Amino acid sequence: MKDAVLPDLKFGGDAHLACPPSGHKSHRNTLSTRFRKERHLTSIKCLDNTFDTLVTNWIQANVPDKSLGLDLKDQDEQTGETLTVPSARRFRISTTLPPPVKEFNRLWAWIDHFPLRTVQRILHILYPQSKDWGFVSETQQHYDDNIFKEFYFTRKECPQTAEIASNSVLVACQPPWVLSNEDMWQFTELKSLPAGNTRLRGKERLWCKLWDLCVRKQCFHFIVTSYEQWAFGVFSDGWTNAYISPPFDARARQPTVMHAILYWLASALDVDDGYSPPILPEPVEYVMGQFDAPPSESCGADTIQESLSSWAAQSLSDDDSPSARADVCAPLGISEQGDGKNPESELYVRPRDLTETRQLVERWRATLPILRTERSKGRRVDVQVPSSLPKSNLVSPLSADLFKDAASTTASSDFTEVGNNKGHWLVSIKRK
Protein backbone atom coordinates (compact mmCIF):
# COMPACT_ATOMS: atom_id res chain seq x y z
CA MET A 1 0.00 0.00 0.00
CA LYS A 2 2.90 2.37 0.63
CA ASP A 3 3.73 2.35 -3.11
CA ALA A 4 0.11 2.90 -4.22
CA VAL A 5 0.04 6.41 -5.67
CA LEU A 6 -2.79 7.83 -7.74
CA PRO A 7 -2.10 7.91 -11.50
CA ASP A 8 -1.68 11.28 -13.17
CA LEU A 9 -4.97 12.75 -14.30
CA LYS A 10 -5.37 12.59 -18.08
CA PHE A 11 -7.20 15.48 -19.72
CA GLY A 12 -8.99 15.26 -23.04
CA GLY A 13 -9.67 17.97 -25.57
CA ASP A 14 -9.14 21.49 -24.21
CA ALA A 15 -10.05 20.66 -20.58
CA HIS A 16 -6.50 21.27 -19.37
CA LEU A 17 -6.61 24.80 -20.81
CA ALA A 18 -9.42 25.66 -18.38
CA CYS A 19 -7.19 25.06 -15.36
CA PRO A 20 -5.64 28.27 -13.99
CA PRO A 21 -1.83 28.66 -13.93
CA SER A 22 0.07 27.42 -10.89
CA GLY A 23 -0.38 29.69 -7.88
CA HIS A 24 -3.58 31.28 -9.19
CA LYS A 25 -7.20 30.99 -8.16
CA SER A 26 -9.83 29.95 -10.69
CA HIS A 27 -12.48 32.55 -9.73
CA ARG A 28 -15.07 30.01 -10.95
CA ASN A 29 -16.35 28.60 -7.66
CA THR A 30 -19.85 30.00 -8.13
CA LEU A 31 -21.67 27.69 -5.72
CA SER A 32 -25.27 28.73 -5.09
CA THR A 33 -24.89 28.85 -1.29
CA ARG A 34 -25.61 32.17 0.35
CA PHE A 35 -25.51 33.57 3.85
CA ARG A 36 -27.69 31.82 6.45
CA LYS A 37 -27.86 33.04 10.02
CA GLU A 38 -27.98 29.45 11.35
CA ARG A 39 -24.41 28.76 10.20
CA HIS A 40 -22.32 29.55 13.28
CA LEU A 41 -19.00 28.14 12.11
CA THR A 42 -16.92 30.37 14.34
CA SER A 43 -13.62 28.48 14.35
CA ILE A 44 -11.77 26.51 11.66
CA LYS A 45 -8.49 24.93 12.76
CA CYS A 46 -5.86 23.64 10.33
CA LEU A 47 -4.13 20.49 11.57
CA ASP A 48 -0.88 21.43 9.80
CA ASN A 49 1.90 18.84 9.55
CA THR A 50 0.74 17.01 12.68
CA PHE A 51 -1.88 15.35 10.47
CA ASP A 52 0.89 13.55 8.54
CA THR A 53 2.23 12.18 11.82
CA LEU A 54 -1.20 10.98 12.92
CA VAL A 55 -1.78 9.20 9.61
CA THR A 56 1.68 7.59 9.57
CA ASN A 57 1.41 6.37 13.17
CA TRP A 58 -2.03 4.89 12.59
CA ILE A 59 -0.95 3.11 9.40
CA GLN A 60 2.10 1.61 11.14
CA ALA A 61 -0.02 0.35 14.02
CA ASN A 62 -3.05 -0.94 12.11
CA VAL A 63 -1.98 -1.91 8.57
CA PRO A 64 0.28 -5.01 8.43
CA ASP A 65 3.52 -4.83 6.48
CA LYS A 66 3.42 -8.59 5.91
CA SER A 67 0.85 -11.02 4.59
CA LEU A 68 -1.95 -11.86 7.02
CA GLY A 69 -1.62 -15.49 5.99
CA LEU A 70 -5.07 -15.52 4.46
CA ASP A 71 -6.14 -16.54 0.99
CA LEU A 72 -6.84 -13.01 -0.15
CA LYS A 73 -7.21 -11.81 -3.71
CA ASP A 74 -7.20 -8.35 -5.22
CA GLN A 75 -10.83 -8.85 -6.22
CA ASP A 76 -13.69 -10.05 -4.05
CA GLU A 77 -15.51 -12.67 -6.12
CA GLN A 78 -18.81 -12.07 -4.35
CA THR A 79 -18.98 -8.27 -4.44
CA GLY A 80 -16.66 -7.50 -7.35
CA GLU A 81 -14.59 -5.10 -5.24
CA THR A 82 -11.02 -4.88 -6.43
CA LEU A 83 -7.78 -2.97 -6.04
CA THR A 84 -7.41 -0.42 -8.83
CA VAL A 85 -4.54 1.90 -7.84
CA PRO A 86 -1.21 0.72 -9.33
CA SER A 87 1.53 -0.18 -6.87
CA ALA A 88 4.97 -1.80 -7.06
CA ARG A 89 5.63 -3.99 -10.11
CA ARG A 90 5.55 -7.20 -8.08
CA PHE A 91 1.83 -6.62 -7.51
CA ARG A 92 -0.26 -7.40 -10.57
CA ILE A 93 -2.89 -4.70 -10.45
CA SER A 94 -4.78 -3.63 -13.56
CA THR A 95 -3.54 -0.33 -14.97
CA THR A 96 -6.62 0.32 -17.12
CA LEU A 97 -7.45 4.03 -17.12
CA PRO A 98 -10.92 5.59 -17.41
CA PRO A 99 -11.53 7.87 -20.43
CA PRO A 100 -9.64 11.18 -20.42
CA VAL A 101 -11.34 13.97 -18.50
CA LYS A 102 -13.19 16.28 -20.87
CA GLU A 103 -15.94 17.31 -18.47
CA PHE A 104 -16.88 16.96 -14.81
CA ASN A 105 -18.69 13.62 -15.00
CA ARG A 106 -15.54 11.92 -16.27
CA LEU A 107 -13.50 13.35 -13.41
CA TRP A 108 -16.09 11.90 -11.05
CA ALA A 109 -15.43 8.50 -12.63
CA TRP A 110 -11.67 8.82 -11.97
CA ILE A 111 -12.27 9.56 -8.30
CA ASP A 112 -14.64 6.63 -7.96
CA HIS A 113 -12.49 4.19 -9.97
CA PHE A 114 -9.12 4.73 -8.29
CA PRO A 115 -8.99 5.96 -4.69
CA LEU A 116 -12.49 5.14 -3.46
CA ARG A 117 -12.70 1.58 -4.79
CA THR A 118 -9.21 0.70 -3.63
CA VAL A 119 -9.60 2.10 -0.11
CA GLN A 120 -12.99 0.43 0.26
CA ARG A 121 -11.44 -2.94 -0.63
CA ILE A 122 -8.53 -2.45 1.80
CA LEU A 123 -10.88 -1.41 4.62
CA HIS A 124 -12.99 -4.54 4.12
CA ILE A 125 -9.88 -6.74 4.19
CA LEU A 126 -8.62 -5.18 7.43
CA TYR A 127 -12.02 -4.99 9.10
CA PRO A 128 -14.45 -7.60 7.71
CA GLN A 129 -17.14 -6.26 10.08
CA SER A 130 -17.36 -3.15 7.87
CA LYS A 131 -18.29 -5.02 4.66
CA ASP A 132 -21.78 -3.56 4.59
CA TRP A 133 -20.25 -0.06 4.50
CA GLY A 134 -19.21 1.50 1.21
CA PHE A 135 -19.30 4.49 -1.11
CA VAL A 136 -22.54 5.55 -2.76
CA SER A 137 -22.99 8.48 -5.12
CA GLU A 138 -25.54 11.21 -4.54
CA THR A 139 -27.93 11.22 -7.48
CA GLN A 140 -30.22 14.01 -6.32
CA GLN A 141 -29.99 16.92 -8.74
CA HIS A 142 -29.20 20.41 -7.50
CA TYR A 143 -28.15 23.78 -8.88
CA ASP A 144 -24.42 23.08 -8.55
CA ASP A 145 -24.31 19.77 -10.44
CA ASN A 146 -21.90 21.15 -13.01
CA ILE A 147 -19.21 22.08 -10.44
CA PHE A 148 -20.00 20.04 -7.31
CA LYS A 149 -20.78 16.36 -6.74
CA GLU A 150 -20.65 14.18 -3.66
CA PHE A 151 -20.17 10.59 -2.56
CA TYR A 152 -21.15 9.21 0.84
CA PHE A 153 -19.34 6.49 2.72
CA THR A 154 -22.19 4.91 4.65
CA ARG A 155 -23.91 1.66 5.49
CA LYS A 156 -25.52 0.42 2.32
CA GLU A 157 -28.81 -1.45 1.98
CA CYS A 158 -29.81 -0.43 5.48
CA PRO A 159 -32.27 2.23 6.73
CA GLN A 160 -30.41 5.35 7.74
CA THR A 161 -30.34 6.03 11.48
CA ALA A 162 -28.67 8.71 13.58
CA GLU A 163 -25.89 6.27 14.52
CA ILE A 164 -25.22 5.34 10.88
CA ALA A 165 -25.29 8.97 9.77
CA SER A 166 -22.77 10.05 12.43
CA ASN A 167 -20.37 7.33 11.24
CA SER A 168 -20.72 8.31 7.58
CA VAL A 169 -18.31 10.44 5.54
CA LEU A 170 -19.10 13.01 2.86
CA VAL A 171 -16.72 13.10 -0.12
CA ALA A 172 -17.14 16.40 -1.98
CA CYS A 173 -15.70 16.69 -5.50
CA GLN A 174 -14.97 19.76 -7.59
CA PRO A 175 -13.00 19.84 -10.87
CA PRO A 176 -9.47 21.33 -10.84
CA TRP A 177 -10.56 24.12 -13.20
CA VAL A 178 -12.91 25.26 -10.39
CA LEU A 179 -11.03 24.18 -7.25
CA SER A 180 -7.42 24.90 -8.21
CA ASN A 181 -4.46 24.11 -5.96
CA GLU A 182 -4.41 27.72 -4.77
CA ASP A 183 -8.16 27.61 -4.07
CA MET A 184 -7.64 24.47 -2.00
CA TRP A 185 -4.88 26.06 0.07
CA GLN A 186 -6.99 29.13 0.78
CA PHE A 187 -9.95 26.90 1.65
CA THR A 188 -7.94 25.03 4.29
CA GLU A 189 -6.45 28.24 5.73
CA LEU A 190 -9.78 29.99 6.35
CA LYS A 191 -10.40 30.73 10.06
CA SER A 192 -14.19 31.17 10.27
CA LEU A 193 -17.29 32.05 8.30
CA PRO A 194 -18.48 35.67 8.24
CA ALA A 195 -20.85 36.55 11.08
CA GLY A 196 -22.84 39.08 9.05
CA ASN A 197 -24.85 38.99 5.85
CA THR A 198 -22.02 39.77 3.45
CA ARG A 199 -21.15 38.60 -0.03
CA LEU A 200 -19.35 35.27 0.28
CA ARG A 201 -16.08 34.46 -1.45
CA GLY A 202 -15.46 31.15 -3.18
CA LYS A 203 -13.72 29.48 -0.22
CA GLU A 204 -16.50 30.64 2.11
CA ARG A 205 -19.20 29.32 -0.21
CA LEU A 206 -17.47 25.94 -0.24
CA TRP A 207 -17.40 25.83 3.57
CA CYS A 208 -21.07 26.83 3.63
CA LYS A 209 -21.90 24.05 1.18
CA LEU A 210 -20.09 21.46 3.31
CA TRP A 211 -21.75 22.70 6.50
CA ASP A 212 -25.20 22.53 4.93
CA LEU A 213 -24.71 19.03 3.51
CA CYS A 214 -23.16 17.60 6.68
CA VAL A 215 -25.83 19.09 8.94
CA ARG A 216 -28.58 17.86 6.63
CA LYS A 217 -27.08 14.35 6.53
CA GLN A 218 -25.87 14.51 10.18
CA CYS A 219 -22.41 13.25 9.20
CA PHE A 220 -19.44 14.95 10.82
CA HIS A 221 -16.45 13.76 8.73
CA PHE A 222 -15.85 15.01 5.20
CA ILE A 223 -13.26 14.89 2.40
CA VAL A 224 -12.80 17.58 -0.25
CA THR A 225 -11.02 16.74 -3.49
CA SER A 226 -10.29 17.88 -7.02
CA TYR A 227 -8.50 14.54 -7.60
CA GLU A 228 -5.20 16.42 -7.79
CA GLN A 229 -5.60 17.75 -4.22
CA TRP A 230 -7.25 16.22 -1.14
CA ALA A 231 -8.24 17.68 2.24
CA PHE A 232 -9.73 15.88 5.27
CA GLY A 233 -12.02 17.58 7.77
CA VAL A 234 -14.45 17.03 10.64
CA PHE A 235 -17.04 19.16 12.41
CA SER A 236 -17.51 19.32 16.15
CA ASP A 237 -20.62 17.90 17.84
CA GLY A 238 -22.25 21.32 17.86
CA TRP A 239 -21.25 22.24 14.28
CA THR A 240 -19.57 25.49 15.40
CA ASN A 241 -15.96 24.28 15.07
CA ALA A 242 -14.19 22.48 12.23
CA TYR A 243 -10.78 20.85 11.82
CA ILE A 244 -9.13 20.47 8.42
CA SER A 245 -5.89 18.96 7.17
CA PRO A 246 -3.51 20.74 4.79
CA PRO A 247 -4.01 19.75 1.14
CA PHE A 248 -2.59 16.38 0.07
CA ASP A 249 -1.15 16.14 -3.43
CA ALA A 250 -2.34 13.14 -5.45
CA ARG A 251 1.28 12.03 -5.90
CA ALA A 252 2.23 12.46 -2.24
CA ARG A 253 4.21 9.76 -0.44
CA GLN A 254 4.75 8.96 3.24
CA PRO A 255 1.86 9.21 3.80
CA THR A 256 -0.04 8.81 0.55
CA VAL A 257 -3.56 9.92 -0.26
CA MET A 258 -4.62 6.27 0.10
CA HIS A 259 -3.23 6.21 3.65
CA ALA A 260 -5.05 9.41 4.55
CA ILE A 261 -8.42 8.26 3.14
CA LEU A 262 -8.17 4.94 4.99
CA TYR A 263 -7.27 6.72 8.23
CA TRP A 264 -10.18 9.15 7.88
CA LEU A 265 -12.74 6.42 7.20
CA ALA A 266 -11.45 4.47 10.20
CA SER A 267 -11.70 7.61 12.35
CA ALA A 268 -15.33 8.09 11.30
CA LEU A 269 -16.03 4.46 12.25
CA ASP A 270 -14.41 5.02 15.66
CA VAL A 271 -11.68 2.45 15.07
CA ASP A 272 -9.11 2.47 17.87
CA ASP A 273 -6.56 5.30 17.69
CA GLY A 274 -8.50 7.22 15.04
CA TYR A 275 -8.67 11.00 15.13
CA SER A 276 -11.11 12.60 17.55
CA PRO A 277 -11.56 16.39 17.60
CA PRO A 278 -10.89 18.23 20.88
CA ILE A 279 -13.71 18.86 23.34
CA LEU A 280 -14.71 22.52 23.26
CA PRO A 281 -17.65 24.50 24.71
CA GLU A 282 -20.41 25.13 22.20
CA PRO A 283 -23.87 26.75 22.24
CA VAL A 284 -26.38 24.45 23.87
CA GLU A 285 -28.96 24.70 21.07
CA TYR A 286 -26.39 23.50 18.53
CA VAL A 287 -25.20 20.60 20.69
CA MET A 288 -28.82 19.55 21.23
CA GLY A 289 -29.66 20.03 17.53
CA GLN A 290 -32.24 22.72 18.33
CA PHE A 291 -31.67 24.94 15.29
CA ASP A 292 -33.08 25.17 11.79
CA ALA A 293 -31.40 22.69 9.44
CA PRO A 294 -30.64 23.89 5.89
CA PRO A 295 -33.46 23.19 3.42
CA SER A 296 -33.14 20.44 0.86
CA GLU A 297 -31.41 21.60 -2.31
CA SER A 298 -33.79 19.58 -4.46
CA CYS A 299 -36.19 22.50 -4.02
CA GLY A 300 -33.51 25.01 -4.90
CA ALA A 301 -30.59 26.11 -2.79
CA ASP A 302 -31.45 29.03 -0.54
CA THR A 303 -34.50 29.82 -2.64
CA ILE A 304 -36.27 33.13 -2.11
CA GLN A 305 -39.30 32.65 0.11
CA GLU A 306 -42.71 33.64 -1.20
CA SER A 307 -43.61 37.17 -0.19
CA LEU A 308 -46.34 37.69 2.40
CA SER A 309 -47.49 40.76 0.50
CA SER A 310 -50.08 40.61 -2.28
CA TRP A 311 -48.96 43.90 -3.81
CA ALA A 312 -49.52 43.87 -7.56
CA ALA A 313 -47.00 46.62 -8.37
CA GLN A 314 -49.64 49.33 -8.32
CA SER A 315 -48.93 52.96 -7.52
CA LEU A 316 -48.25 53.76 -3.89
CA SER A 317 -50.73 56.61 -4.17
CA ASP A 318 -53.55 54.20 -4.99
CA ASP A 319 -55.64 53.79 -1.86
CA ASP A 320 -57.08 50.57 -3.23
CA SER A 321 -53.64 48.99 -3.54
CA PRO A 322 -53.36 45.83 -1.43
CA SER A 323 -50.10 47.09 0.03
CA ALA A 324 -51.82 50.21 1.31
CA ARG A 325 -54.32 48.30 3.45
CA ALA A 326 -53.06 47.41 6.92
CA ASP A 327 -55.78 44.85 7.50
CA VAL A 328 -54.28 42.39 5.00
CA CYS A 329 -50.73 42.61 6.27
CA ALA A 330 -49.21 39.54 7.89
CA PRO A 331 -49.36 39.72 11.72
CA LEU A 332 -46.13 40.52 13.49
CA GLY A 333 -44.55 38.08 15.94
CA ILE A 334 -44.30 38.69 19.66
CA SER A 335 -41.64 41.19 20.58
CA GLU A 336 -38.57 40.09 22.48
CA GLN A 337 -39.77 42.42 25.27
CA GLY A 338 -42.84 40.25 25.87
CA ASP A 339 -46.52 40.75 25.15
CA GLY A 340 -47.49 41.75 28.68
CA LYS A 341 -49.91 38.81 28.95
CA ASN A 342 -47.87 35.67 28.64
CA PRO A 343 -45.16 35.59 31.34
CA GLU A 344 -43.14 33.06 29.33
CA SER A 345 -42.61 35.62 26.59
CA GLU A 346 -40.81 38.02 28.93
CA LEU A 347 -37.12 38.56 28.28
CA TYR A 348 -35.07 36.47 30.69
CA VAL A 349 -32.52 38.30 32.87
CA ARG A 350 -29.43 36.27 33.77
CA PRO A 351 -28.71 36.05 37.53
CA ARG A 352 -25.53 37.72 38.67
CA ASP A 353 -24.56 35.01 41.13
CA LEU A 354 -22.54 32.33 39.29
CA THR A 355 -23.65 29.51 41.60
CA GLU A 356 -27.29 30.35 41.10
CA THR A 357 -26.73 30.59 37.36
CA ARG A 358 -25.12 27.15 37.23
CA GLN A 359 -27.91 25.57 39.28
CA LEU A 360 -30.53 27.16 37.05
CA VAL A 361 -28.87 25.83 33.90
CA GLU A 362 -28.57 22.31 35.34
CA ARG A 363 -32.25 22.28 36.37
CA TRP A 364 -33.20 23.42 32.86
CA ARG A 365 -31.00 20.81 31.17
CA ALA A 366 -32.55 18.05 33.29
CA THR A 367 -35.95 18.84 31.76
CA LEU A 368 -34.74 18.54 28.16
CA PRO A 369 -35.65 15.47 26.11
CA ILE A 370 -32.76 13.34 24.90
CA LEU A 371 -32.60 14.15 21.19
CA ARG A 372 -29.15 12.78 20.40
CA THR A 373 -26.87 10.16 21.81
CA GLU A 374 -23.32 10.97 22.66
CA ARG A 375 -21.31 10.67 19.48
CA SER A 376 -18.70 8.31 20.87
CA LYS A 377 -21.36 5.98 22.37
CA GLY A 378 -24.05 5.86 19.74
CA ARG A 379 -21.93 5.59 16.61
CA ARG A 380 -19.13 3.21 17.48
CA VAL A 381 -18.59 0.32 15.09
CA ASP A 382 -17.18 -2.71 16.84
CA VAL A 383 -14.05 -3.63 14.91
CA GLN A 384 -10.97 -5.43 16.05
CA VAL A 385 -7.38 -5.02 14.94
CA PRO A 386 -5.97 -8.34 13.64
CA SER A 387 -4.22 -10.12 16.49
CA SER A 388 -1.07 -10.52 14.42
CA LEU A 389 -0.51 -6.76 14.38
CA PRO A 390 1.69 -5.16 17.05
CA LYS A 391 0.21 -2.44 19.22
CA SER A 392 2.15 0.73 19.69
CA ASN A 393 1.76 3.95 21.60
CA LEU A 394 0.26 6.44 19.21
CA VAL A 395 0.12 10.18 19.35
CA SER A 396 -2.81 11.28 21.49
CA PRO A 397 -5.61 13.35 19.87
CA LEU A 398 -4.58 16.86 19.12
CA SER A 399 -5.23 19.51 21.71
CA ALA A 400 -6.11 23.10 20.91
CA ASP A 401 -2.64 24.45 21.59
CA LEU A 402 -1.14 22.37 18.75
CA PHE A 403 -2.94 24.37 16.12
CA LYS A 404 -1.03 27.06 14.34
CA ASP A 405 -2.70 30.33 13.47
CA ALA A 406 -1.91 31.33 9.88
CA ALA A 407 -0.87 34.80 8.80
CA SER A 408 -3.59 37.40 9.06
CA THR A 409 -5.34 38.88 6.08
CA THR A 410 -7.68 41.79 5.52
CA ALA A 411 -10.77 39.55 5.38
CA SER A 412 -12.69 39.25 8.65
CA SER A 413 -13.46 35.56 8.17
CA ASP A 414 -9.75 34.79 8.03
CA PHE A 415 -9.66 35.41 11.79
CA THR A 416 -11.06 33.10 14.43
CA GLU A 417 -13.91 34.57 16.43
CA VAL A 418 -12.81 34.41 20.07
CA GLY A 419 -15.31 33.02 22.53
CA ASN A 420 -17.65 31.37 20.00
CA ASN A 421 -21.21 32.67 19.92
CA LYS A 422 -22.08 35.28 22.49
CA GLY A 423 -25.32 35.33 24.42
CA HIS A 424 -25.72 31.54 24.71
CA TRP A 425 -25.19 29.05 27.48
CA LEU A 426 -22.13 27.00 26.65
CA VAL A 427 -21.85 23.27 27.20
CA SER A 428 -19.55 20.49 26.03
CA ILE A 429 -20.03 16.87 25.10
CA LYS A 430 -17.83 14.33 26.87
CA ARG A 431 -16.18 11.83 24.58
CA LYS A 432 -14.80 8.47 25.60
PDB file of all heavy atoms in Angstrom, residues 14-27:
ATOM      1  N   ASP A  14      -9.706  20.243 -24.728  1.00  0.00           N
ATOM      2  CA  ASP A  14      -9.142  21.490 -24.209  1.00  0.00           C
ATOM      3  C   ASP A  14      -9.386  21.653 -22.709  1.00  0.00           C
ATOM      4  O   ASP A  14      -9.293  22.761 -22.179  1.00  0.00           O
ATOM      5  CB  ASP A  14      -9.745  22.689 -24.955  1.00  0.00           C
ATOM      6  CG  ASP A  14      -9.396  22.675 -26.440  1.00  0.00           C
ATOM      7  OD1 ASP A  14      -8.329  22.109 -26.777  1.00  0.00           O
ATOM      8  OD2 ASP A  14     -10.194  23.210 -27.233  1.00  0.00           O
ATOM      9  N   ALA A  15      -9.717  20.555 -22.007  1.00  0.00           N
ATOM     10  CA  ALA A  15     -10.054  20.659 -20.583  1.00  0.00           C
ATOM     11  C   ALA A  15      -8.882  21.208 -19.775  1.00  0.00           C
ATOM     12  O   ALA A  15      -9.075  21.983 -18.834  1.00  0.00           O
ATOM     13  CB  ALA A  15     -10.489  19.300 -20.043  1.00  0.00           C
ATOM     14  N   HIS A  16      -7.655  20.809 -20.143  1.00  0.00           N
ATOM     15  CA  HIS A  16      -6.501  21.266 -19.371  1.00  0.00           C
ATOM     16  C   HIS A  16      -6.282  22.768 -19.506  1.00  0.00           C
ATOM     17  O   HIS A  16      -5.682  23.405 -18.639  1.00  0.00           O
ATOM     18  CB  HIS A  16      -5.249  20.517 -19.826  1.00  0.00           C
ATOM     19  CG  HIS A  16      -4.797  20.857 -21.219  1.00  0.00           C
ATOM     20  ND1 HIS A  16      -5.463  20.399 -22.339  1.00  0.00           N
ATOM     21  CD2 HIS A  16      -3.763  21.633 -21.679  1.00  0.00           C
ATOM     22  CE1 HIS A  16      -4.865  20.851 -23.416  1.00  0.00           C
ATOM     23  NE2 HIS A  16      -3.831  21.599 -23.048  1.00  0.00           N
ATOM     24  N   LEU A  17      -6.765  23.357 -20.610  1.00  0.00           N
ATOM     25  CA  LEU A  17      -6.605  24.797 -20.809  1.00  0.00           C
ATOM     26  C   LEU A  17      -7.485  25.605 -19.856  1.00  0.00           C
ATOM     27  O   LEU A  17      -7.228  26.787 -19.616  1.00  0.00           O
ATOM     28  CB  LEU A  17      -6.936  25.165 -22.252  1.00  0.00           C
ATOM     29  CG  LEU A  17      -6.062  24.515 -23.332  1.00  0.00           C
ATOM     30  CD1 LEU A  17      -6.537  24.917 -24.715  1.00  0.00           C
ATOM     31  CD2 LEU A  17      -4.596  24.886 -23.136  1.00  0.00           C
ATOM     32  N   ALA A  18      -8.528  24.952 -19.305  1.00  0.00           N
ATOM     33  CA  ALA A  18      -9.421  25.657 -18.385  1.00  0.00           C
ATOM     34  C   ALA A  18      -8.822  25.789 -16.994  1.00  0.00           C
ATOM     35  O   ALA A  18      -9.286  26.618 -16.206  1.00  0.00           O
ATOM     36  CB  ALA A  18     -10.764  24.927 -18.305  1.00  0.00           C
ATOM     37  N   CYS A  19      -7.804  24.989 -16.682  1.00  0.00           N
ATOM     38  CA  CYS A  19      -7.189  25.056 -15.357  1.00  0.00           C
ATOM     39  C   CYS A  19      -6.340  26.319 -15.248  1.00  0.00           C
ATOM     40  O   CYS A  19      -5.567  26.641 -16.170  1.00  0.00           O
ATOM     41  CB  CYS A  19      -6.335  23.817 -15.112  1.00  0.00           C
ATOM     42  SG  CYS A  19      -7.273  22.269 -15.080  1.00  0.00           S
ATOM     43  N   PRO A  20      -6.432  27.045 -14.143  1.00  0.00           N
ATOM     44  CA  PRO A  20      -5.637  28.271 -13.991  1.00  0.00           C
ATOM     45  C   PRO A  20      -4.161  27.952 -13.840  1.00  0.00           C
ATOM     46  O   PRO A  20      -3.788  26.828 -13.465  1.00  0.00           O
ATOM     47  CB  PRO A  20      -6.209  28.901 -12.716  1.00  0.00           C
ATOM     48  CG  PRO A  20      -6.781  27.764 -11.952  1.00  0.00           C
ATOM     49  CD  PRO A  20      -7.291  26.795 -12.973  1.00  0.00           C
ATOM     50  N   PRO A  21      -3.272  28.885 -14.114  1.00  0.00           N
ATOM     51  CA  PRO A  21      -1.834  28.656 -13.926  1.00  0.00           C
ATOM     52  C   PRO A  21      -1.510  28.363 -12.465  1.00  0.00           C
ATOM     53  O   PRO A  21      -2.274  28.689 -11.558  1.00  0.00           O
ATOM     54  CB  PRO A  21      -1.199  29.986 -14.388  1.00  0.00           C
ATOM     55  CG  PRO A  21      -2.246  30.660 -15.209  1.00  0.00           C
ATOM     56  CD  PRO A  21      -3.555  30.224 -14.660  1.00  0.00           C
ATOM     57  N   SER A  22      -0.365  27.759 -12.248  1.00  0.00           N
ATOM     58  CA  SER A  22       0.070  27.417 -10.891  1.00  0.00           C
ATOM     59  C   SER A  22       0.140  28.677 -10.030  1.00  0.00           C
ATOM     60  O   SER A  22       0.652  29.715 -10.454  1.00  0.00           O
ATOM     61  CB  SER A  22       1.437  26.738 -10.940  1.00  0.00           C
ATOM     62  OG  SER A  22       1.899  26.455  -9.641  1.00  0.00           O
ATOM     63  N   GLY A  23      -0.394  28.575  -8.806  1.00  0.00           N
ATOM     64  CA  GLY A  23      -0.376  29.690  -7.879  1.00  0.00           C
ATOM     65  C   GLY A  23      -1.508  30.678  -8.047  1.00  0.00           C
ATOM     66  O   GLY A  23      -1.545  31.701  -7.361  1.00  0.00           O
ATOM     67  N   HIS A  24      -2.464  30.369  -8.942  1.00  0.00           N
ATOM     68  CA  HIS A  24      -3.576  31.284  -9.192  1.00  0.00           C
ATOM     69  C   HIS A  24      -4.904  30.623  -8.826  1.00  0.00           C
ATOM     70  O   HIS A  24      -5.063  29.406  -8.923  1.00  0.00           O
ATOM     71  CB  HIS A  24      -3.614  31.693 -10.674  1.00  0.00           C
ATOM     72  CG  HIS A  24      -2.503  32.609 -11.068  1.00  0.00           C
ATOM     73  ND1 HIS A  24      -2.663  33.973 -11.198  1.00  0.00           N
ATOM     74  CD2 HIS A  24      -1.189  32.349 -11.362  1.00  0.00           C
ATOM     75  CE1 HIS A  24      -1.514  34.515 -11.557  1.00  0.00           C
ATOM     76  NE2 HIS A  24      -0.600  33.547 -11.662  1.00  0.00           N
ATOM     77  N   LYS A  25      -5.856  31.445  -8.414  1.00  0.00           N
ATOM     78  CA  LYS A  25      -7.204  30.989  -8.163  1.00  0.00           C
ATOM     79  C   LYS A  25      -7.967  30.895  -9.477  1.00  0.00           C
ATOM     80  O   LYS A  25      -7.616  31.536 -10.465  1.00  0.00           O
ATOM     81  CB  LYS A  25      -7.914  31.949  -7.200  1.00  0.00           C
ATOM     82  CG  LYS A  25      -7.313  32.011  -5.813  1.00  0.00           C
ATOM     83  CD  LYS A  25      -7.872  33.160  -4.998  1.00  0.00           C
ATOM     84  CE  LYS A  25      -9.365  33.073  -4.870  1.00  0.00           C
ATOM     85  NZ  LYS A  25      -9.917  34.166  -4.041  1.00  0.00           N
ATOM     86  N   SER A  26      -9.034  30.110  -9.467  1.00  0.00           N
ATOM     87  CA  SER A  26      -9.826  29.947 -10.689  1.00  0.00           C
ATOM     88  C   SER A  26     -10.880  31.032 -10.845  1.00  0.00           C
ATOM     89  O   SER A  26     -11.273  31.360 -11.965  1.00  0.00           O
ATOM     90  CB  SER A  26     -10.523  28.579 -10.673  1.00  0.00           C
ATOM     91  OG  SER A  26     -11.554  28.547  -9.708  1.00  0.00           O
ATOM     92  N   HIS A  27     -11.391  31.567  -9.723  1.00  0.00           N
ATOM     93  CA  HIS A  27     -12.483  32.546  -9.725  1.00  0.00           C
ATOM     94  C   HIS A  27     -13.728  31.980 -10.407  1.00  0.00           C
ATOM     95  O   HIS A  27     -14.537  32.714 -10.968  1.00  0.00           O
ATOM     96  CB  HIS A  27     -12.061  33.842 -10.426  1.00  0.00           C
ATOM     97  CG  HIS A  27     -10.869  34.500  -9.801  1.00  0.00           C
ATOM     98  ND1 HIS A  27     -10.924  35.184  -8.601  1.00  0.00           N
ATOM     99  CD2 HIS A  27      -9.560  34.547 -10.198  1.00  0.00           C
ATOM    100  CE1 HIS A  27      -9.725  35.636  -8.292  1.00  0.00           C
ATOM    101  NE2 HIS A  27      -8.873  35.269  -9.233  1.00  0.00           N
TER     102      HIS A  27
END
